[in-house]
Amino acid sequence: MSSQINVVGAGLVGSLLGLRLRQKGFDVRLYERRSDPRKVKRAEGRSINLALSHRGIGPLKAAGVYDQVAPYLIPMKGRMMHSKSADLTVQPYGKEGQHINSVPRSQLNKVLLEAAEQQNVEVFFEHQSTEVDLDMANVHFSNGNSASGDVLIGTDGAFSSVRKSMQLTDRFNFSQQYIEHGYKELHIAAINESFALDPNYLHIWPRGNFMLIALPNFDKTFTCTLFFPYEGDVSFASLRDEAQISDFFSKYFPDIPPLIPDLIHQFQNNPTASLITTKCDPWHRGKTIILGDAAHAIVPFYGQGMNSGFEDVRIFGEVGESVNWNWNELLPTYSKKRKRDADAISELALMNFVEMRDHVADPKFLRQKKLEAAIHDRFPKDWLPLYSMVTFSDMPYSEALRLGKIQGKIMQEVLEEGKDLIPEAMDFREIVERYKARK
């Protein structure tokens, strides 16, 4: 295995991929347009905390780096909803002991880069790719350098320069869609060296067409993210001065101003960023392929962006092993195999935005979730809730989406029948059999 592999993009997916390929015996070079993140202070307001779960943990363990990441993880065992009157409601994510983990992007990237370098992966920063020869796996950079190899892999994000070269080729399909919402991050400092909120939950302030969330950080702070329309009567465009910002938070999030004394300053100075979904097909051209956000950028509402990218790395390796690392076979096989699941998690992420900002405060939705949990408790092998399929299993995303739609239809039928209002009238086995018949 003497192939020379060049990876453009040394973020989370690229650094993990480079590490795993090096562990398989390949010579690997990573090229990153940014400066070394280990030497640069992170810009405030542009992180979107990450939620590491089952699909991402497995590849980290396989790479032997999970133990270095673990100290930075904070387990979140469910959602904690904040009403306008500051009432709290908890929704567990799964069964007892199941949780997702808040993790800082910058620290995770540092761990992966250091692990890659320790395995003799060469990493080159401040290398912005400008021209790619897809068939020859060659890449040129803005600083005048170039690189050639046997395979070129683009893991350079949603606005991938490698993918842009593919877009210039014949019969390459590409689409991008911005949602009407943007996001702005806010920072909740520690209070007396302690968390200001319960750190073991993902906090959500659902408000119909918009929402605020907060994830804990290992330094006892919280990163809040406001997902909010760009335009409209209640939107970023409508909050133009200090009074409007103050009135908005007092009305919709009254428990936030006491937690963020400099709220108005943060709101006015932290950037507002957009949210994009991209899809393309195929993911390979010649000796070049794209993985992660470069191939399938998604919105963050299922917490699966990073996890799906790490799963890309796992599946890419599995396909590689199955074809004995025959690159001519590996690239098209992986591209075809993974595409359907990438489209599925893209759809699931958009669906979950509606759930998080609106449905979690709907009594009917809460009845449905309570009923699903009860069915799963009684028939754990026969009924696995959609969230658990996505977050706590390796089930293909496309299969989870298919089964989740069947479950959703059955739940709607049961709720319309009204039997859930009379517990003794519930026949869980009948519901499970109905589900089995439609699977």
Side-chain angles (χ1 to χ4, degrees), residues 80-129:
M80 182 173 286
M81 269 69 63
H82 297 245
S83 71
K84 285 186 182 180
S85 58
D87 293 330
L88 302 178
T89 306
V90 170
Q91 294 177 9
Y93 278 133
K95 302 193 73 172
E96 186 70 27
Q98 288 184 321
H99 58 267
I100 61 177
N101 303 276
S102 179
V103 61
R105 178 191 301 271
S106 58
Q107 195 61 47
L108 181 54
N109 204 174
K110 290 175 184 178
V111 169
L112 291 170
L113 285 170
E114 288 170 2
E117 287 182 335
Q118 288 169 6
Q119 293 288 329
N120 296 317
V121 173
E122 295 184 85
V123 186
F124 300 88
F125 296 100
E126 299 180 2
H127 276 64
Q128 170 70 58
S129 63

Short mmCIF file of all heavy atoms in Angstrom, two decimals, residues 80-129:
data_model
loop_
_atom_site.label_atom_id
_atom_site.label_comp_id
_atom_site.label_asym_id
_atom_site.label_seq_id
_atom_site.Cartn_x
_atom_site.Cartn_y
_atom_site.Cartn_z
N MET A 80 -34.01 19.89 27.62
CA MET A 80 -34.70 20.62 28.66
C MET A 80 -35.34 21.85 28.02
O MET A 80 -34.65 22.74 27.56
CB MET A 80 -33.76 21.03 29.79
CG MET A 80 -34.49 21.77 30.93
SD MET A 80 -33.44 22.08 32.38
CE MET A 80 -33.33 20.43 33.09
N MET A 81 -36.68 21.84 27.97
CA MET A 81 -37.41 22.94 27.33
C MET A 81 -37.70 24.04 28.33
O MET A 81 -38.11 23.78 29.46
CB MET A 81 -38.73 22.44 26.73
CG MET A 81 -38.61 22.01 25.30
SD MET A 81 -37.65 20.50 25.14
CE MET A 81 -38.69 19.37 26.04
N HIS A 82 -37.52 25.29 27.87
CA HIS A 82 -37.79 26.48 28.68
C HIS A 82 -38.99 27.19 28.07
O HIS A 82 -38.94 27.64 26.91
CB HIS A 82 -36.58 27.41 28.66
CG HIS A 82 -35.35 26.84 29.27
ND1 HIS A 82 -34.78 27.37 30.42
CD2 HIS A 82 -34.56 25.79 28.91
CE1 HIS A 82 -33.69 26.66 30.72
NE2 HIS A 82 -33.54 25.70 29.82
N SER A 83 -40.06 27.32 28.83
CA SER A 83 -41.23 28.03 28.34
C SER A 83 -41.05 29.53 28.54
O SER A 83 -40.09 29.98 29.18
CB SER A 83 -42.48 27.57 29.10
OG SER A 83 -42.45 28.04 30.44
N LYS A 84 -41.97 30.32 28.00
CA LYS A 84 -41.89 31.77 28.18
C LYS A 84 -41.98 32.16 29.65
O LYS A 84 -41.43 33.18 30.07
CB LYS A 84 -43.01 32.46 27.39
CG LYS A 84 -42.78 32.52 25.89
CD LYS A 84 -43.88 33.35 25.24
CE LYS A 84 -43.72 33.40 23.74
NZ LYS A 84 -44.79 34.21 23.09
N SER A 85 -42.69 31.35 30.42
CA SER A 85 -42.83 31.63 31.86
C SER A 85 -41.72 30.98 32.67
O SER A 85 -41.80 30.92 33.90
CB SER A 85 -44.19 31.15 32.35
OG SER A 85 -44.37 29.76 32.10
N ALA A 86 -40.70 30.46 31.97
CA ALA A 86 -39.51 29.87 32.60
C ALA A 86 -39.78 28.51 33.23
O ALA A 86 -38.98 28.03 34.03
CB ALA A 86 -38.89 30.82 33.62
N ASP A 87 -40.92 27.89 32.88
CA ASP A 87 -41.16 26.52 33.34
C ASP A 87 -40.25 25.58 32.56
O ASP A 87 -39.97 25.79 31.37
CB ASP A 87 -42.62 26.13 33.10
CG ASP A 87 -43.59 26.91 33.98
OD1 ASP A 87 -43.17 27.29 35.10
OD2 ASP A 87 -44.72 27.16 33.55
N LEU A 88 -39.81 24.51 33.22
CA LEU A 88 -38.89 23.56 32.61
C LEU A 88 -39.57 22.21 32.40
O LEU A 88 -40.28 21.72 33.28
CB LEU A 88 -37.65 23.37 33.49
CG LEU A 88 -36.84 24.63 33.81
CD1 LEU A 88 -35.68 24.29 34.73
CD2 LEU A 88 -36.34 25.30 32.53
N THR A 89 -39.34 21.63 31.24
CA THR A 89 -39.85 20.29 30.91
C THR A 89 -38.71 19.49 30.31
O THR A 89 -37.99 19.98 29.45
CB THR A 89 -41.00 20.37 29.89
OG1 THR A 89 -42.01 21.25 30.36
CG2 THR A 89 -41.61 18.99 29.67
N VAL A 90 -38.56 18.25 30.77
CA VAL A 90 -37.47 17.40 30.32
C VAL A 90 -37.98 16.30 29.41
O VAL A 90 -39.01 15.68 29.68
CB VAL A 90 -36.72 16.77 31.52
CG1 VAL A 90 -35.75 15.70 31.05
CG2 VAL A 90 -35.98 17.86 32.30
N GLN A 91 -37.27 16.07 28.30
CA GLN A 91 -37.55 14.96 27.40
C GLN A 91 -36.27 14.14 27.25
O GLN A 91 -35.32 14.60 26.60
CB GLN A 91 -38.00 15.46 26.02
CG GLN A 91 -39.33 16.18 26.00
CD GLN A 91 -39.67 16.72 24.62
OE1 GLN A 91 -39.00 16.43 23.65
NE2 GLN A 91 -40.72 17.52 24.55
N PRO A 92 -36.21 12.94 27.82
CA PRO A 92 -35.00 12.12 27.68
C PRO A 92 -34.76 11.76 26.22
O PRO A 92 -35.69 11.60 25.43
CB PRO A 92 -35.34 10.87 28.51
CG PRO A 92 -36.42 11.30 29.44
CD PRO A 92 -37.22 12.31 28.68
N TYR A 93 -33.50 11.60 25.85
CA TYR A 93 -33.15 11.24 24.48
C TYR A 93 -33.41 9.77 24.19
O TYR A 93 -33.76 9.39 23.08
CB TYR A 93 -31.69 11.55 24.20
CG TYR A 93 -31.44 12.99 23.84
CD1 TYR A 93 -30.40 13.70 24.43
CD2 TYR A 93 -32.24 13.65 22.91
CE1 TYR A 93 -30.16 15.02 24.08
CE2 TYR A 93 -32.01 14.97 22.58
CZ TYR A 93 -30.97 15.65 23.17
OH TYR A 93 -30.74 16.96 22.84
N GLY A 94 -33.18 8.94 25.15
CA GLY A 94 -33.32 7.50 24.94
C GLY A 94 -33.60 6.82 26.25
O GLY A 94 -34.20 7.39 27.16
N LYS A 95 -33.14 5.59 26.37
CA LYS A 95 -33.33 4.84 27.60
C LYS A 95 -32.29 5.29 28.63
O LYS A 95 -31.36 6.04 28.32
CB LYS A 95 -33.20 3.34 27.33
CG LYS A 95 -34.18 2.82 26.28
CD LYS A 95 -34.24 1.32 26.26
CE LYS A 95 -34.99 0.80 27.47
NZ LYS A 95 -35.24 -0.68 27.37
N GLU A 96 -32.46 4.84 29.87
CA GLU A 96 -31.55 5.18 30.94
C GLU A 96 -30.11 4.87 30.53
O GLU A 96 -29.80 3.78 30.04
CB GLU A 96 -31.90 4.38 32.20
CG GLU A 96 -31.10 4.76 33.43
CD GLU A 96 -31.44 6.12 33.97
OE1 GLU A 96 -32.59 6.58 33.76
OE2 GLU A 96 -30.56 6.74 34.59
N GLY A 97 -29.24 5.84 30.71
CA GLY A 97 -27.83 5.66 30.36
C GLY A 97 -27.47 6.14 28.97
O GLY A 97 -26.28 6.28 28.67
N GLN A 98 -28.45 6.39 28.11
CA GLN A 98 -28.15 6.88 26.77
C GLN A 98 -28.06 8.40 26.77
O GLN A 98 -28.88 9.09 27.39
CB GLN A 98 -29.21 6.42 25.77
CG GLN A 98 -29.15 4.93 25.45
CD GLN A 98 -30.15 4.52 24.39
OE1 GLN A 98 -31.28 5.00 24.35
NE2 GLN A 98 -29.74 3.63 23.50
N HIS A 99 -27.08 8.94 26.07
CA HIS A 99 -26.91 10.38 26.01
C HIS A 99 -26.07 10.74 24.79
O HIS A 99 -25.41 9.89 24.20
CB HIS A 99 -26.21 10.90 27.28
CG HIS A 99 -24.86 10.28 27.52
ND1 HIS A 99 -24.69 9.16 28.30
CD2 HIS A 99 -23.62 10.61 27.05
CE1 HIS A 99 -23.41 8.83 28.32
NE2 HIS A 99 -22.74 9.68 27.56
N ILE A 100 -26.13 12.01 24.44
CA ILE A 100 -25.23 12.56 23.44
C ILE A 100 -24.22 13.42 24.19
O ILE A 100 -24.37 13.66 25.39
CB ILE A 100 -25.97 13.36 22.35
CG1 ILE A 100 -26.72 14.55 22.96
CG2 ILE A 100 -26.94 12.44 21.61
CD1 ILE A 100 -27.42 15.43 21.92
N ASN A 101 -23.19 13.91 23.50
CA ASN A 101 -22.12 14.61 24.19
C ASN A 101 -21.81 15.94 23.54
O ASN A 101 -21.57 16.00 22.33
CB ASN A 101 -20.84 13.76 24.16
CG ASN A 101 -21.03 12.39 24.77
OD1 ASN A 101 -20.95 12.22 25.98
ND2 ASN A 101 -21.31 11.40 23.91
N SER A 102 -21.81 16.99 24.33
CA SER A 102 -21.36 18.28 23.84
C SER A 102 -19.84 18.28 23.80
O SER A 102 -19.18 17.86 24.75
CB SER A 102 -21.86 19.40 24.76
OG SER A 102 -21.42 20.66 24.30
N VAL A 103 -19.29 18.75 22.69
CA VAL A 103 -17.83 18.77 22.54
C VAL A 103 -17.43 20.02 21.75
O VAL A 103 -18.10 20.39 20.79
CB VAL A 103 -17.32 17.49 21.83
CG1 VAL A 103 -17.92 17.37 20.43
CG2 VAL A 103 -15.81 17.45 21.78
N PRO A 104 -16.36 20.69 22.16
CA PRO A 104 -15.91 21.87 21.42
C PRO A 104 -15.20 21.48 20.12
O PRO A 104 -14.31 20.63 20.13
CB PRO A 104 -14.95 22.56 22.39
CG PRO A 104 -14.48 21.48 23.31
CD PRO A 104 -15.59 20.47 23.39
N ARG A 105 -15.62 22.09 19.04
CA ARG A 105 -15.05 21.78 17.73
C ARG A 105 -13.53 21.98 17.73
O ARG A 105 -12.77 21.15 17.22
CB ARG A 105 -15.68 22.68 16.67
CG ARG A 105 -15.12 22.48 15.26
CD ARG A 105 -15.61 23.58 14.33
NE ARG A 105 -17.05 23.61 14.24
CZ ARG A 105 -17.77 22.92 13.37
NH1 ARG A 105 -17.18 22.11 12.51
NH2 ARG A 105 -19.08 23.02 13.35
N SER A 106 -13.08 23.10 18.29
CA SER A 106 -11.66 23.43 18.22
C SER A 106 -10.80 22.40 18.95
O SER A 106 -9.75 22.00 18.45
CB SER A 106 -11.41 24.82 18.81
OG SER A 106 -11.86 24.89 20.15
N GLN A 107 -11.25 21.96 20.11
CA GLN A 107 -10.46 21.01 20.87
C GLN A 107 -10.42 19.65 20.17
O GLN A 107 -9.39 18.98 20.14
CB GLN A 107 -11.03 20.85 22.28
CG GLN A 107 -10.09 20.17 23.26
CD GLN A 107 -8.80 20.95 23.45
OE1 GLN A 107 -8.82 22.17 23.65
NE2 GLN A 107 -7.67 20.26 23.38
N LEU A 108 -11.55 19.24 19.60
CA LEU A 108 -11.60 17.98 18.88
C LEU A 108 -10.68 18.01 17.66
O LEU A 108 -9.94 17.05 17.39
CB LEU A 108 -13.04 17.69 18.45
CG LEU A 108 -13.30 16.40 17.69
CD1 LEU A 108 -12.77 15.19 18.45
CD2 LEU A 108 -14.81 16.24 17.42
N ASN A 109 -10.68 19.13 16.95
CA ASN A 109 -9.81 19.26 15.78
C ASN A 109 -8.33 19.19 16.18
O ASN A 109 -7.51 18.55 15.50
CB ASN A 109 -10.10 20.59 15.06
CG ASN A 109 -9.71 20.58 13.59
OD1 ASN A 109 -9.98 21.52 12.86
ND2 ASN A 109 -9.07 19.51 13.12
N LYS A 110 -8.00 19.80 17.31
CA LYS A 110 -6.62 19.77 17.79
C LYS A 110 -6.18 18.34 18.11
O LYS A 110 -5.08 17.92 17.75
CB LYS A 110 -6.48 20.64 19.04
CG LYS A 110 -6.61 22.13 18.77
CD LYS A 110 -6.58 22.93 20.07
CE LYS A 110 -6.81 24.41 19.80
NZ LYS A 110 -6.84 25.19 21.08
N VAL A 111 -7.05 17.59 18.78
CA VAL A 111 -6.73 16.19 19.12
C VAL A 111 -6.47 15.38 17.85
O VAL A 111 -5.50 14.61 17.77
CB VAL A 111 -7.86 15.56 19.95
CG1 VAL A 111 -7.66 14.05 20.07
CG2 VAL A 111 -7.92 16.18 21.34
N LEU A 112 -7.34 15.54 16.85
CA LEU A 112 -7.21 14.76 15.63
C LEU A 112 -5.96 15.15 14.84
O LEU A 112 -5.26 14.29 14.30
CB LEU A 112 -8.46 14.94 14.76
CG LEU A 112 -9.73 14.30 15.32
CD1 LEU A 112 -10.95 14.73 14.50
CD2 LEU A 112 -9.62 12.78 15.33
N LEU A 113 -5.66 16.44 14.77
CA LEU A 113 -4.46 16.88 14.06
C LEU A 113 -3.20 16.36 14.73
O LEU A 113 -2.27 15.88 14.05
CB LEU A 113 -4.42 18.41 13.99
CG LEU A 113 -5.37 19.07 12.98
CD1 LEU A 113 -5.41 20.58 13.20
CD2 LEU A 113 -4.96 18.75 11.55
N GLU A 114 -3.15 16.44 16.04
CA GLU A 114 -1.97 15.96 16.75
C GLU A 114 -1.80 14.46 16.59
O GLU A 114 -0.68 13.96 16.42
CB GLU A 114 -2.05 16.36 18.22
CG GLU A 114 -1.84 17.86 18.41
CD GLU A 114 -2.15 18.33 19.82
OE1 GLU A 114 -2.50 17.48 20.67
OE2 GLU A 114 -2.06 19.55 20.07
N ALA A 115 -2.91 13.73 16.62
CA ALA A 115 -2.83 12.27 16.44
C ALA A 115 -2.34 11.95 15.03
O ALA A 115 -1.53 11.02 14.84
CB ALA A 115 -4.19 11.63 16.70
N ALA A 116 -2.82 12.71 14.04
CA ALA A 116 -2.39 12.47 12.65
C ALA A 116 -0.89 12.74 12.50
O ALA A 116 -0.15 11.95 11.89
CB ALA A 116 -3.19 13.35 11.71
N GLU A 117 -0.44 13.84 13.06
CA GLU A 117 0.98 14.17 12.96
C GLU A 117 1.85 13.14 13.67
O GLU A 117 2.95 12.81 13.21
CB GLU A 117 1.23 15.57 13.52
CG GLU A 117 0.71 16.68 12.62
CD GLU A 117 1.00 18.06 13.15
OE1 GLU A 117 1.17 18.21 14.39
OE2 GLU A 117 1.06 19.00 12.33
N GLN A 118 1.37 12.62 14.79
CA GLN A 118 2.12 11.60 15.52
C GLN A 118 2.27 10.32 14.69
O GLN A 118 3.21 9.56 14.89
CB GLN A 118 1.44 11.29 16.85
CG GLN A 118 1.57 12.41 17.88
CD GLN A 118 0.68 12.21 19.09
OE1 GLN A 118 0.01 11.17 19.23
NE2 GLN A 118 0.66 13.19 19.97
N GLN A 119 1.35 10.12 13.75
CA GLN A 119 1.43 8.96 12.86
C GLN A 119 2.17 9.30 11.56
O GLN A 119 2.10 8.56 10.58
CB GLN A 119 0.01 8.46 12.53
CG GLN A 119 -0.74 7.88 13.73
CD GLN A 119 -0.20 6.54 14.14
OE1 GLN A 119 0.28 5.77 13.31
NE2 GLN A 119 -0.26 6.23 15.44
N ASN A 120 2.82 10.46 11.55
CA ASN A 120 3.62 10.91 10.40
C ASN A 120 2.78 11.32 9.19
O ASN A 120 3.24 11.21 8.04
CB ASN A 120 4.64 9.84 9.99
CG ASN A 120 5.67 9.59 11.09
OD1 ASN A 120 6.16 10.53 11.71
ND2 ASN A 120 5.98 8.32 11.32
N VAL A 121 1.56 11.79 9.45
CA VAL A 121 0.80 12.46 8.40
C VAL A 121 1.37 13.87 8.27
O VAL A 121 1.52 14.58 9.27
CB VAL A 121 -0.70 12.52 8.74
CG1 VAL A 121 -1.44 13.38 7.72
CG2 VAL A 121 -1.29 11.12 8.78
N GLU A 122 1.71 14.28 7.06
CA GLU A 122 2.21 15.63 6.84
C GLU A 122 1.04 16.60 6.72
O GLU A 122 0.08 16.34 5.97
CB GLU A 122 3.05 15.69 5.57
CG GLU A 122 4.32 14.86 5.61
CD GLU A 122 5.16 15.04 4.36
OE1 GLU A 122 5.94 16.01 4.30
OE2 GLU A 122 4.99 14.22 3.43
N VAL A 123 1.09 17.69 7.46
CA VAL A 123 0.00 18.66 7.46
C VAL A 123 0.55 20.02 7.03
O VAL A 123 1.52 20.52 7.61
CB VAL A 123 -0.66 18.78 8.85
CG1 VAL A 123 -1.88 19.71 8.78
CG2 VAL A 123 -1.06 17.41 9.39
N PHE A 124 -0.10 20.61 6.02
CA PHE A 124 0.34 21.90 5.48
C PHE A 124 -0.81 22.91 5.65
O PHE A 124 -1.89 22.72 5.08
CB PHE A 124 0.69 21.77 4.00
CG PHE A 124 1.80 20.79 3.72
CD1 PHE A 124 1.50 19.44 3.51
CD2 PHE A 124 3.12 21.19 3.68
CE1 PHE A 124 2.51 18.52 3.25
CE2 PHE A 124 4.14 20.28 3.42
CZ PHE A 124 3.84 18.94 3.21
N PHE A 125 -0.57 23.95 6.42
CA PHE A 125 -1.57 24.99 6.63
C PHE A 125 -1.34 26.14 5.66
O PHE A 125 -0.30 26.24 5.00
CB PHE A 125 -1.52 25.47 8.08
CG PHE A 125 -1.89 24.40 9.07
CD1 PHE A 125 -0.91 23.72 9.76
CD2 PHE A 125 -3.22 24.07 9.29
CE1 PHE A 125 -1.24 22.72 10.67
CE2 PHE A 125 -3.56 23.07 10.18
CZ PHE A 125 -2.57 22.39 10.88
N GLU A 126 -2.34 27.03 5.58
CA GLU A 126 -2.31 28.19 4.69
C GLU A 126 -2.07 27.75 3.25
O GLU A 126 -1.30 28.35 2.51
CB GLU A 126 -1.25 29.20 5.16
CG GLU A 126 -1.57 29.72 6.56
CD GLU A 126 -0.56 30.73 7.08
OE1 GLU A 126 0.39 31.06 6.33
OE2 GLU A 126 -0.70 31.18 8.23
N HIS A 127 -2.78 26.71 2.86
CA HIS A 127 -2.76 26.20 1.49
C HIS A 127 -4.19 26.21 0.94
O HIS A 127 -4.97 25.29 1.17
CB HIS A 127 -2.18 24.78 1.43
CG HIS A 127 -0.69 24.72 1.39
ND1 HIS A 127 0.10 25.17 2.41
CD2 HIS A 127 0.16 24.29 0.40
CE1 HIS A 127 1.38 24.99 2.08
NE2 HIS A 127 1.44 24.47 0.86
N GLN A 128 -4.52 27.27 0.25
CA GLN A 128 -5.83 27.42 -0.37
C GLN A 128 -5.79 26.85 -1.78
O GLN A 128 -5.04 27.33 -2.64
CB GLN A 128 -6.23 28.89 -0.42
CG GLN A 128 -7.48 29.18 -1.26
CD GLN A 128 -8.74 28.66 -0.61
OE1 GLN A 128 -9.07 29.03 0.50
NE2 GLN A 128 -9.46 27.81 -1.32
N SER A 129 -6.56 25.80 -2.03
CA SER A 129 -6.53 25.19 -3.36
C SER A 129 -7.21 26.11 -4.37
O SER A 129 -8.23 26.72 -4.10
CB SER A 129 -7.22 23.82 -3.34
OG SER A 129 -8.58 23.95 -3.00
#
